[in-house]
Structures are given as C-alpha cells and as structure tokens.
Amino acid sequence: MAVEEEGLRVFQSVRIKIGEAKNLPTYPGPNKMRDCYCTVNLDQEEVFRTKIVEKSLCPFYGEDFYCEIPRTFRHLSFYIFDRDVFRRDSIIGKVAIQKEDLQKYHNRDTWFQLQHVDADSEVQGKVHLELRLGEVITDTGVVSHRLATRVLECQGLPIVNGQCDPYATVTLSGPSRSEAKKTKVKKKTNNPHFDEVFYFEVTRPSSYNKKSHFDIEDVDEVDKMEIRVDLWNASNLKFGDEFLGELRLPLKFLRQSSSYEAWYFLQPRDNGNKSLKPDDLGSLRLNVVYTEDHVFSSDYYSPLRDVLLKSADVEPVSASAAHILGEVCREKQEAAIPLVRLFLHYGRIVPFISAIANAEVKRTQDPNTIFRGNSLTSKCIDETMKLAGMHYLQVTLKPIIDEFVFQENLRQYVDRIFTVITKSGVSCPTVMCDIFFSLRESAAKRFQGDLDVRYTAVSSFIFLRFFAPAILSPNLFQLTPHHPDPQTSRTLTLISKTIQTLGSLSKSKSANFKESYMATFYDYFNEQKYADAVKNFLDLISSSGRRDHKSIEQPILLKEGFMIKRAQGRKRFGMKNFKKRWFRLTNHEFTYQKSKGDHPLCSIPIENILAVERLEEESFKMKNMFQVIQPERRVLYIQANNCVEAKDWIDILTKVSQCNKKRLTVYHPSAYLNGHWLCCKATADNTPGCTPCTGGLPANIQLDIDGDRETERIYSLFNLYMPKLEKMQEACGSKSVYDGPEEEEYSTFVIDDPKETYKTLKLIIEGVGTLEQEHAQYKRDKFKKTKYGSQEHPIGDKSFQTYIRQQSEISAHSI
C-alpha cells in the first residue's frame, strides 16, 4: 500500500532476520530457565511473533519476516516475552529503533542491548494544542494577562492492557505556583477529540503601562513558567491511572506571538527510570533492511525502462542494461530481485533469462559445473522460481510437511516426498517450464557429447535450488509458520540431502554424504526406477509446448488465520456479536470455521465477493477492520490482528475477486447502525454506497508486481553504483583503443563488445541523471511546502529536523 504525495507514491517495506538472544536474566525459581518468544512491533502494534523457545536463557529463533508497512511509524520495536507455567506472558525487555536510525543498521547483523519497559519507554502519539496569551483590562484600568490553553485532540496514544480511556491534565507551573485542570475522559479510543479550553491567570493585576505589559518582576516570573500537558489512561485498577505521555512548553516562546497552534509529539517524563543498567537484561541479534521507495508516475521511467526491457535483444547480452546492473552491483542477488520482477511484469522474463543463460553456457568449459556458480543467471532463475513457484510448492510439499510430526520412518517419508515431486510435473508453472526448456536446449547444444547435460542443467535448479531448500527451511517458503525445532531441523536436513542427491542423477551417490550412515541409508534408493522417475519428471517440465494441465484447477490455499468477525445477520433474531473464527481463502471460496480443520460455518464463493474495503474505526471503535461486501448488500465485517495483516487480507481478497463481473463501484466506508449509515446518514439499508471503491489491482494472484516501483529500485541501484558505471565506461574506452594486457581495475567487468557496452552505459547514465534531477526537484518543492508543527510533521519529530538540516545544506550549497 503506497502513500500518495502529490503525484508521487511512497512505499515502505522491512525485511527482518531475528537471530538469537543471549544472557537473559534467570527465572526466579529452582529451574532458572525461561520459555521466551520475540515480537516485532510498529511502535507498539504487534505485527509478527516468533515461536516459543523453551528452557533457555540464550534462545535461538532463526526466523525471517517481511512486510509492506501500510502506515507511518516512529519506532520499529522488538519485545522479548517470557511465558510461565500458567501461560501468562511477562515482558523481559525490548529493543526500539527510531525510524531515522534504521539506515545505520541496514543489512548488518547487530547485537542490541535489551532495555527496560515501563510507562515512559512506551510513550507514543501526538497532541494538538492551541495557546493564546491575552491581555485583560478592567474598567478601572487594571491590566492582567491570561493564558487560554485549548486541547483539541490526540492521535496514536498507547493502548494499556488492551484498553485506552484517555484524559488530559493541563498544568501551569512556575517557581512559586502550580495550577492544574483536567479534561473529560474519552472512552475506548486512542484518538480522542477533547476540544476543551482552560484559562490561567499568568500575571498579577497591575497599573496599565504602555512601555511594558508586565512589571519587571512579572517578566522574570513568566520566563520561568511552563505549561505542561499530561495524558493519562483512566484505569479501574487499584494501582491508579497509567501515564501515556507528556508535553512541556515554556511560556517565554509566546512572548514573540500571542497565539500559537501546533501538533507535538508526546514525550516521556524527565524522571523516567534511568537508574537500571542497560546490560542487565541481555541482548538480541537482529538484521534489519528498511526500504523506502519514492515512485513517480510511469512516464518518468520510460527512458530507463525501455533500455532495460531491450536487454534480451542486445547482442552480445553482456552489453545490455540488465547485465551491466549485475556487473556493477556488489552482490548479484541485489540486481536479480528487481530485474526479475520487472521482466515478469512485462512478460520478458523467458527471453531475458534465455539470453544470459546461453551466454553463460558458452563460457562454461566443464558440463559438470554448469549453472553451479552464483552468477546473474542463477540468481535470476532462483528469484523467478520463488515468485512463480510459491503456490507450486504449497500444493506439492505442504501437505506432507504438515504431517511430518507424525512420521517416524525416514525412508518412507523420503519416498513420499520423492513421489509427490516427480508426479507434480503437470503443476509446474508455465514460466518455469519455458525457462527450463531454454536451459536444456542451450546445454545440449553446447555439450553435444554429454547425454545427461540436458537433465543436469534443469535439475541443478528445480532440485538443488528449489525443492531441496524448501524442505530444509520450510518456514522461508511459507510452508510452515516458524523455523523447525532442532530435532525436526536435523531430520529435514537429511531428507533434503537425499532428495537433492536423487535429483542430481549423480554417478557416485554415496560420495555426496559425509556421514557413513547416510551413505548406507541412500543405498535403499540406489535403484534405476528412481533415476527413471527423475528423468521423466525433468523431461515433462522442460518440454517444448507443454502447458499447465486441467488438474491444476484444484483449490489453491492463498491465506488462512484467526480473525474476529461480526455476525452477518443471516438469522432473523439474535445478537450481532463479535467472535473469533479461523478464516481460509482459496482461489475458489472464502470460508470461516470455529477452529482450524473444522467444518466451515460460512462459505462465500469468490464470484460473490463484490468489494473488499476498509471500515472506518468509528463504526465499532475497533482498529484494523475491513468489510467483504456480497450480493443483496450483505456485509461481513472482520477485524484483523494488526495493520499489516489487514492490508494483506484486503489485497489478496481484492486480487482474487478482481475479475468478478458484478463488482461494485461505490461502497459505504462506515457501518449501518441504529437505523442509518454512519458515513452518509442515509436511513435505508439498501442505499447505494457514498464513496468510490478502491482502484483495481492486478488480477494475477501470484505475481502482484508494480513495474514503476521496480524501475525506481533499479534506478536507485544504478545511482548507488554510479562510480562503477563510470569506471566501466573508462574500461570500454581502454579496450577500444588498446589491445594489450588488461588493467587490473578493469578486469572485474565482463565486456565482450566495448562499443556496444559504451553505448548502453551512456543511455543508462543519462536516464539515471534525469531521474536524479526529478527527485532533487521533488525534495526542494516538498521542503518549501512543509510546515513544522503540522499534523504530518509534529514538533519533536527528529526525522523531520534531520530532513530540514539536510535540505538547508543542499539549498546553501546550490546557492
């Protein structure tokens, strides 16, 4: 989900590797060990949870998490929880990284000290205030000064123990006085609207003096005064109300202006708990990659996109823009991810991979090493299989992986996995089959004397880089929710090795195993029928003209999980209450049941989903709600667990129902309650919607790709590695005029045709330069329009202060 900013879309995403924790404090009991898990939070909203690692003070998690971030946030936080024998969860500590600091730790394994968690460490949100310093003159000529403090609203306050009933106290304090006033309590909201005004007498009455509105004594008094706004959660607990945050403003800043209105970030108290040592709680190892893409409209990217999409047709392919990107990037994977997505989006992936694979085969001397290196070809095919083959893995491996905990016979288990793989050829995605056909033809042509190379060229990808890794780490391929436990992981490793060896058609099978017992175990599979099954499978998925079989029309599971739903009113009588249900979406239907595996309580055919839209929070005072609209204006209201889950469900439900002929064009963003729609106040429940439905999304469930966003990412990479592009230009010039020994600094580049490569480099540098100017102009325009203290950029926003400083430096430099 992108945030729109005046013709530009902003995408945020984060990829996190949660490694391990160490030196956690011992449990105060005889066992001393803890059962711990880790959560990932946007500010305080949990968006991911690891498995529980039992009986350890140094738990290893080894879990990966990726998400698109659908809202603004200030901190990316990680909490370590301990679950006791009564299944109660207590917080051990947390790591909080400010958004503006995320780039410091970009893609680096970093140990973070766990910090204590208390009311001050949990402060979040902002408050909207208006201050007005006025002068009051009585009929007798006596003058005094009065401060009006208007508390308008707050946004994003923390939720304490599942609830938030906030109120504000406003205090005027000075060296010799303190006066406090309080707003009304707002129930069940962390975005309260107060709009209350409080008046304070600031100076003592005195004779009116034209030179100064204050006596000298009063001037000193005002300079030392401050207004303090505290936010509290009205609690029914015996421990009293919980602190949510505060704001302190000295009155002297009002001397410049009698009226001031602004948004402010709430802050922790000055006397927060600072005495405890930060290293008392242990540490957590994390690797965080935060990405923010600023994407212009499509026409801005035409020059760079055109030169990229022509890559498959450039002779030689080493002179193409895509190949050059692979040459200048530090890691081939860096280039492969956006290139594959871009070429898939425009239907050019097969000719591009065919071209670079053919070039690699021509450079390969030994058929036994074909496609075994980490080349651009290998990385691009890996990425294509991940994108196009994810559902293929789901229907092939997931049913057996789910049953694994009940299997004890390793040989029988290997047999079952081998069989489902070699029988799955008709389910292999067409784009993968087309690529495999191209690899097979190139390898057979290059090594005509080797009859097996047409098989090994394909098996090195489908077995070595696709099925084997998915068996080894099923959590990375969405086959299981978490990293397997050590015993299961060990067994999966042995199975993965066996399947990999079977698929490789290796002549000496036992030589592939370091463990002698594994070599003995493999003898069970050293029969011709296994080699024949592999060859038949490889023939099928790499044959010319093969297309997906009708049997693929079986239901594909797209997403499942617990959410809370409101009764749809299918029964004439009964309360429309909220209940937790297990939801399941396939490409055929959307269902829910009491628990996973139960018989569905409700089934909605995909063709009956007419719209999927967000529901305004005010409808039920509940966050992260959305609605599934069906025929006859029947609406299913659902609450997801967090903002990321809500976005994921809305996106995939919209995609899978995108082609429905009766899709709505308008909807109601609020619910129908108490005889009227809350949004437009219409009284008839069948009144057509009052708001246009969200714009269409790509109907391809598997490959939801934004071509402009991928081109923007490629631009960013070219811009990052511009010195290497310029060095490559120099290398082309050197090769063109000098035919002697190659200079060492140029030897890292593959340049088969210097003139053609130079021509492409020139187009790339021109396209990157144009986009760089557009980004710089956008930043200058944004800087001019942005107001510090606005709702978007509250006072106290460190990231915006940094941005202002950077833009001021840029402006000064340009002047």
Side-chain angles (χ1 to χ4, degrees):
M1 182 178 295
V3 179
E4 297 284 343
E5 289 186 3
E6 298 182 10
L8 180 141
R9 294 174 296 145
V10 181
F11 295 87
Q12 301 177 102
S13 63
V14 66
R15 188 179 300 277
I16 301 164
K17 292 182 180 179
I18 304 172
E20 60 188 311
K22 67 178 181 180
N23 302 329
L24 299 180
T26 57
Y27 185 76
N31 188 1
K32 298 188 183 301
M33 294 292 106
R34 294 182 181 271
D35 299 341
C36 297
Y37 64 90
C38 178
T39 67
V40 180
N41 298 59
L42 293 174
D43 296 319
Q44 288 179 335
E45 183 180 12
E46 181 182 323
V47 295
F48 177 74
R49 179 180 295 197
T50 69
K51 64 180 179 183
I52 296 175
V53 177
E54 298 180 344
K55 299 177 181 178
S56 176
L57 298 179
C58 297
F60 176 81
Y61 298 107
E63 300 212 25
D64 290 46
F65 171 66
Y66 172 85
C67 76
E68 297 282 329
I69 300 175
R71 64 171 178 83
T72 59
F73 70 100
R74 292 184 69 196
H75 293 89
L76 184 64
S77 301
F78 304 83
Y79 292 80
I80 298 290
F81 286 86
D82 178 32
R83 175 163 290 183
D84 65 17
V85 291
F86 302 106
R87 299 186 67 82
R88 293 175 303 195
D89 299 342
S90 57
I91 298 177
I92 295 175
K94 80 168 186 177
V95 171
I97 309 173
Q98 290 187 335
K99 180 182 175 181
E100 55 268 23
D101 292 335
L102 286 171
Q103 287 303 319
K104 293 180 186 177
Y105 311 107
H106 183 80
N107 206 15
R108 292 195 288 120
D109 274 11
T110 307
W111 284 98
F112 293 90
Q113 294 290 337
L114 290 174
Q115 305 296 322
H116 288 272
V117 176
D118 55 26
D120 288 283
S121 73
E122 298 299 276
V123 168
Q124 68 175 46
K126 52 192 176 183
V127 59
H128 187 192
L129 291 182
E130 182 181 4
L131 302 176
R132 191 179 298 273
L133 187 60
E135 185 181 80
V136 179
I137 304 174
T138 65
D139 294 338
T140 59
V142 176
V143 62
S144 66
H145 289 79
R146 187 170 68 172
L147 175 68
T149 303
R150 184 184 178 195
V151 184
L152 289 102
E153 60 180 311
C154 295
Q155 286 188 355
L157 297 178
I159 295 173
V160 182
N161 297 323
Q163 61 117 39
C164 189
D165 297 334
Y167 68 90
T169 60
V170 183
T171 306
L172 179 68
S173 59
S176 58
R177 62 180 292 191
S178 181
E179 183 181 356
K181 300 183 180 183
K182 175 183 169 184
T183 69
K184 295 176 182 176
V185 175
K186 299 294 180 180
K187 292 285 187 179
K188 296 182 180 179
T189 177
N190 67 337
N191 298 312
H193 288 261
F194 296 110
D195 202 6
E196 295 188 41
V197 183
F198 303 100
Y199 295 96
F200 299 92
E201 297 297 330
V202 176
T203 58
R204 296 187 300 275
S206 62
S207 300
Y208 185 75
N209 184 331
K210 288 184 179 180
K211 290 184 179 179
S212 173
H213 296 173
F214 301 98
D215 291 341
I216 293 176
E217 182 185 358
D218 292 328
V219 171
D220 293 338
E221 187 82 5
V222 170
D223 282 349
K224 295 175 183 176
M225 285 184 179
E226 70 172 11
I227 195 80
R228 191 179 81 241
V229 179
D230 295 276
L231 272 298
W232 298 87
N233 178 45
S235 173
N236 296 323
L237 300 176
K238 60 183 179 181
F239 305 110
D241 296 346
E242 292 101 348
F243 173 75
L244 301 179
E246 75 168 18
L247 173 68
R248 292 172 178 262
L249 296 171
L251 281 200
K252 59 184 177 183
F253 84 96
L254 278 175
R255 302 280 295 281
Q256 316 277 325
S257 168
S258 61
S259 176
Y260 198 81
E261 178 186 347
W263 284 84
Y264 302 85
F265 273 129
L266 292 168
Q267 305 294 335
R269 292 168 289 201
D270 289 339
N271 63 344
N273 193 351
K274 308 294 183 186
S275 60
L276 293 170
K277 295 180 181 178
D279 57 349
D280 286 346
L281 302 176
S283 53
L284 180 65
R285 178 167 62 86
L286 301 168
N287 186 304
V288 180
V289 177
Y290 170 74
T291 307
E292 196 170 291
D293 298 317
H294 294 76
V295 182
F296 294 109
S297 57
S298 190
D299 54 303
Y300 283 82
Y301 297 103
S302 292
L304 183 59
R305 182 175 57 238
D306 290 347
V307 73
L308 284 163
L309 292 177
K310 291 175 182 174
S311 294
D313 304 320
V314 173
E315 287 285 349
V317 73
S318 60
S320 69
H323 194 279
I324 288 170
L325 181 65
E327 288 294 293
V328 298
C329 283
R330 187 180 63 182
E331 296 177 359
K332 296 287 190 283
Q333 181 79 1
E334 226 178 352
I337 292 173
L339 283 175
V340 165
R341 296 175 72 88
L342 180 71
F343 286 124
L344 275 170
H345 181 72
Y346 287 101
R348 299 286 295 161
I349 190 65
V350 175
F352 169 65
I353 287 182
S354 298
I356 59 174
N358 193 43
E360 183 173 331
V361 168
K362 287 178 179 177
R363 289 194 294 269
T364 304
Q365 301 302 316
D366 183 354
N368 294 316
T369 63
I370 193 166
F371 300 128
R372 292 302 172 99
N374 289 321
S375 62
L376 182 64
T377 305
S378 298
K379 293 299 182 183
C380 284
I381 297 176
D382 288 353
E383 191 61 28
T384 304
M385 291 192 299
K386 278 183 189 175
L387 288 169
M390 194 60 73
H391 292 293
Y392 177 36
L393 282 177
Q394 294 278 332
V395 299
T396 307
L397 292 183
K398 193 175 192 307
I400 302 181
I401 295 285
D402 287 343
E403 293 176 19
F404 174 69
V405 290
F406 304 108
Q407 294 287 338
E408 295 181 356
N409 190 323
L410 184 60
R411 180 184 168 189
Q412 180 189 18
Y413 189 54
V414 170
D415 245 333
R416 287 189 63 195
I417 286 189
F418 178 82
T419 301
V420 296
I421 289 174
T422 52
K423 297 286 186 186
S424 70
V426 294
S427 301
C428 187
T430 301
V431 68
M432 289 170 60
C433 294
D434 289 343
I435 289 171
F436 295 151
F437 172 70
S438 175
L439 299 181
R440 172 183 175 139
E441 292 297 297
S442 292
K445 184 178 179 181
R446 172 72 174 87
F447 300 103
Q448 296 180 15
D450 191 324
L451 298 179
D452 285 336
V453 74
R454 68 183 191 273
Y455 294 118
T456 55
V458 178
S459 68
S460 63
F461 287 104
I462 194 69
F463 281 101
L464 181 66
R465 295 171 176 266
F466 189 62
F467 283 122
I471 296 167
L472 182 66
S473 303
N475 58 305
L476 299 183
F477 293 81
Q478 300 171 23
L479 299 176
T480 59
H482 298 296
H483 185 73
D485 62 70
Q487 184 177 352
T488 305
S489 185
R490 172 67 177 158
T491 306
L492 289 175
T493 301
L494 299 179
I495 295 166
S496 177
K497 281 186 176 182
T498 308
I499 294 296
Q500 180 180 321
T501 307
L502 281 168
S504 68
L505 297 170
S506 174
K507 303 287 191 301
S508 176
K509 305 292 176 66
S510 58
N512 293 329
F513 297 102
K514 295 177 182 177
E515 307 92 337
S516 58
Y517 66 89
M518 276 303 297
T520 305
F521 171 75
Y522 189 80
D523 285 340
Y524 288 117
F525 304 98
N526 200 7
E527 298 179 21
Q528 188 60 36
K529 67 176 183 179
Y530 290 102
D532 291 344
V534 169
K535 287 183 177 180
N536 289 338
F537 169 68
L538 295 174
D539 279 334
L540 181 58
I541 66 172
S542 62
S543 58
S544 174
R546 179 224 162 275
R547 287 296 177 263
D548 291 342
H549 197 268
K550 292 288 184 185
S551 64
I552 300 177
E553 288 304 309
Q554 61 181 303
I556 298 173
L557 177 63
L558 302 176
K559 190 171 178 63
E560 61 182 343
F562 276 113
M563 292 190 288
I564 294 171
K565 66 96 188 174
R566 182 176 185 259
Q568 298 183 76
R570 288 176 293 155
K571 297 178 181 178
R572 187 169 181 181
F573 301 102
M575 292 181 61
K576 292 185 178 180
N577 52 358
F578 289 88
K579 291 182 179 179
K580 188 176 183 180
R581 292 288 183 258
W582 181 264
F583 285 81
R584 196 169 188 271
L585 175 66
T586 71
N587 56 334
H588 291 182
E589 61 182 353
F590 182 45
T591 62
Y592 63 77
Q593 51 245 45
K594 280 191 175 181
S595 300
K596 185 176 182 180
D598 288 353
H599 185 75
L601 298 172
C602 174
S603 173
I604 304 172
I606 294 302
E607 57 268 24
N608 283 356
I609 298 178
L610 306 185
V612 183
E613 299 288 347
R614 292 185 177 276
L615 186 72
E616 290 182 354
E617 183 182 337
E618 292 305 311
S619 296
F620 300 108
K621 305 291 185 187
M622 296 167 68
K623 286 180 168 295
N624 305 315
M625 289 202 71
F626 62 95
Q627 51 185 314
V628 179
I629 306 172
Q630 305 157 65
E632 301 176 4
R633 301 288 171 182
R634 180 177 290 165
V635 183
L636 174 60
Y637 295 121
I638 303 173
Q639 183 188 37
N641 298 314
N642 54 63
C643 64
V644 172
E645 276 287 302
K647 175 193 178 299
D648 288 347
W649 276 106
I650 292 169
D651 281 355
I652 197 155
L653 280 164
T654 301
K655 288 168 204 163
V656 80
S657 62
Q658 188 69 47
C659 296
N660 290 353
K661 295 178 181 178
K662 296 181 179 179
R663 277 189 66 85
L664 299 178
T665 56
V666 290
Y667 77 106
H668 290 285
S670 293
Y672 183 83
L673 295 173
N674 302 321
H676 68 276
W677 291 99
L678 299 181
C679 43
C680 60
K681 309 305 179 188
T683 55
D685 62 354
N686 61 352
T687 303
C690 57
T691 303
C693 285
T694 306
L697 291 167
N700 189 333
I701 301 166
Q702 299 180 14
L703 304 176
D704 176 19
I705 296 171
D706 186 319
D708 296 333
R709 185 179 182 184
E710 301 310 323
T711 313
E712 168 64 28
R713 286 181 170 178
I714 292 170
Y715 148 74
S716 298
L717 287 171
F718 274 136
N719 201 30
L720 177 65
Y721 293 109
M722 183 59 72
K724 280 193 175 182
L725 288 173
E726 292 168 346
K727 187 69 69 178
M728 202 171 182
Q729 266 192 324
E730 292 177 16
C732 289
S734 174
K735 279 176 174 281
S736 296
V737 299
Y738 176 63
D739 200 25
E742 192 170 25
E743 291 187 34
E744 187 176 346
E745 62 178 331
Y746 300 149
S747 62
T748 56
F749 301 123
V750 175
I751 302 174
D752 297 320
D753 186 330
K755 290 183 179 178
E756 196 66 32
T757 305
Y758 187 91
K759 191 191 305 181
T760 305
L761 281 164
K762 186 179 178 184
L763 292 172
I764 292 170
I765 292 170
E766 286 174 356
V768 170
T770 302
L771 281 169
E772 189 177 13
Q773 290 176 7
E774 295 293 347
H775 277 287
Q777 185 60 48
Y778 167 77
K779 288 178 180 177
R780 285 192 293 269
D781 293 344
K782 183 181 176 183
F783 178 65
K784 291 175 183 176
K785 296 174 184 176
T786 302
K787 179 187 175 185
Y788 191 43
S790 63
Q791 186 175 355
E792 295 77 20
H793 300 286
I795 294 171
D797 183 353
K798 291 184 180 178
S799 62
F800 184 66
Q801 290 172 322
T802 303
Y803 172 72
I804 286 180
R805 185 171 64 253
Q806 290 172 345
Q807 293 305 307
S808 299
E809 290 170 358
I810 291 171
S811 299
H813 180 71
S814 61
I815 291 171

